[in-house]
């Protein structure tokens, strides 16, 4: 009955402090762990005023310390990370969110990854790179792009071949932030053959910045044969840049 009532209230309660108080009370004290999970989810989606942020932090810390359901502790860690909190214990819980059966949890997790330091973390990220949800994979690309960690380059290279166009774009953009010697030209040369013109533009821009003459033949083909005029124009500009540096 309580679950049915809370589900009915979800979306009906106003986005204010009173609603936050209701959700947070249920999230901390209800005897049903699934109901606590639902309430914490709803509380975390409300507008984050200073008071809500303060109360939400306090709630999540209590859940991590005393919660009897790991899924709730994981969600609490994700919310704390969204609120700017850090810490090794927090990172361990957050990474577990990548394996959650709830797709929204996996999506949120992929956006708030902690610092990547060890092989176990890489293994979890490799699994996330094969997630069935394209938004999870895209969010993963965005997080890895911000970190610029060389350990993640193989993961990003695999995501450049992702079936989802946006994920491929995010992955190639992330790779372009690394030095050429770390990533090689291959992902960008391959991307020039991608069906997505926006991805080809990213590839041309990276090849221009790297200014490696080994890219000249591929850029010459793109400047003449690419079906997109913007790609052809940028490829010609890249060739001019490379020519000026000879």
């Amino acid at each position: 009955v309580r679950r049915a009532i809370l589900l009915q209230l979800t979306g009906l309660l106003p986005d204010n402090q009173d609603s936050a108080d209701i959700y947070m009370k249920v999230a901390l004290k209800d005897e049903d762990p699934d109901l606590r999970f639902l309430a914490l989810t709803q509380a975390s989606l409300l507008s984050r005023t200073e008071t809500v942020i303060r109360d939400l932090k306090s709630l999540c810390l209590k859940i991590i310390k005393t919660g009897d359901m790991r899924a709730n502790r994981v969600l609490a860690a994700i919310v704390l990370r969204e609120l700017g909190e850090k810490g090794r214990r927090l990172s361990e819980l957050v990474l577990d969110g990548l394996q959650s059966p709830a797709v929204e949890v996996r999506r949120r997790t992929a956006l708030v990854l902690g610092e990547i330091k060890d092989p176990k973390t890489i293994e979890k990220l490799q699994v996330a790179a094969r997630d069935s949800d394209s938004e999870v994979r895209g969010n993963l690309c965005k997080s890895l792009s911000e970190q610029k960690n060389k350990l993640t380059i193989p993961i990003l290279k695999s995501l450049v071949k992702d079936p989802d166009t946006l994920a491929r774009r995010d992955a190639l953009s992330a790779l372009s932030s690394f030095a050429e010697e770390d990533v090689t030209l291959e992902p960008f040369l391959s991307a020039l053959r991608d069906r997505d013109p926006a991805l080809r533009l990213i590839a041309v821009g990276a090849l221009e910045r790297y200014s490696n003459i080994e890219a000249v033949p591929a850029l010459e083909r793109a400047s003449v044969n690419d079906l997109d005029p913007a790609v052809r124009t940028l490829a010609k500009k890249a060739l001019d840049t490379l020519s000026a540096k000879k």
Side-chain angles (χ1 to χ4, degrees):
V1 175
R2 297 192 310 281
R3 182 180 181 84
I5 293 173
L6 188 64
L7 287 171
Q8 287 291 325
L9 290 175
T10 299
L12 298 178
L13 288 175
D15 187 354
N16 59 25
Q17 185 63 45
D18 289 340
S19 299
D21 291 342
I22 293 172
Y23 286 132
M24 290 186 199
K25 183 177 181 179
V26 174
L28 185 63
K29 296 184 177 181
D30 197 273
E31 62 187 35
D32 183 345
D34 291 332
L35 198 57
R36 295 200 302 271
F37 182 89
L38 176 60
L40 177 58
T41 299
Q42 294 306 313
S44 72
L45 296 176
L46 293 173
S47 295
R48 291 178 177 176
T49 63
E50 288 186 12
T51 303
V52 168
I53 290 173
R54 181 198 65 208
D55 293 346
L56 200 53
K57 283 185 178 181
S58 176
L59 170 67
C60 290
L61 288 170
K62 289 177 182 176
I63 290 173
I64 289 175
K65 185 176 181 180
T66 64
D68 59 354
M69 184 176 174
R70 188 165 182 81
N72 289 357
R73 297 200 304 275
V74 168
L75 179 57
I78 293 167
V79 174
L80 284 172
R81 180 57 58 76
E82 290 174 345
L83 296 174
E85 297 296 312
K86 299 180 181 180
R88 182 178 179 83
R89 174 58 178 154
L90 209 60
S91 295
E92 292 174 356
L93 284 168
V94 167
L95 284 170
D96 281 353
L98 291 173
Q99 300 171 312
S100 170
V103 66
E104 283 299 329
V105 172
R106 301 200 305 276
R107 289 173 179 173
R108 293 173 71 172
T109 301
L111 281 175
V112 294
L113 299 173
E115 189 175 356
I116 298 166
K117 292 183 176 181
D118 58 78
K120 288 184 178 180
T121 300
I122 295 297
E123 290 175 7
K124 291 182 179 180
L125 297 182
Q126 288 170 335
V127 172
R130 299 189 295 272
D131 195 282
S132 60
D133 182 73
S134 61
E135 190 173 335
V136 172
R137 303 192 304 272
N139 288 349
L140 178 63
C141 291
K142 293 171 185 175
S143 286
L144 298 185
S145 176
E146 294 173 359
Q147 297 209 22
K148 295 182 176 62
N149 188 319
K150 292 181 183 180
L151 292 174
T152 67
I153 289 176
I155 298 172
L156 290 169
K157 283 186 174 181
S158 71
L159 285 164
V160 170
K161 303 173 184 177
D162 194 274
D164 182 74
T165 300
L166 294 178
R168 294 201 304 278
R169 291 179 190 175
D170 289 335
L172 196 66
S173 294
L175 282 175
S176 70
S177 67
F178 290 95
E180 180 194 338
E181 58 266 26
D182 294 324
V183 295
T184 75
L185 297 181
E186 188 277 329
F188 306 99
L189 295 175
S190 296
L192 289 177
R193 300 188 293 273
D194 194 276
R195 65 181 180 274
D196 176 42
L199 191 75
R200 301 198 298 274
L201 281 171
I202 295 170
V204 172
L207 292 172
E208 180 181 11
R209 288 196 303 277
Y210 290 146
S211 297
N212 189 322
I213 59 172
E214 292 181 11
V216 167
L219 288 171
E220 287 177 338
R221 289 192 294 273
S223 70
V224 176
N225 300 327
D226 197 282
L227 297 177
D228 188 276
V231 176
R232 294 197 301 271
T233 299
L234 190 60
K236 290 174 183 176
K237 177 178 175 293
L239 286 168
D240 290 340
T241 299
L242 268 66
S243 178
K245 292 186 177 182
K246 285 184 180 178

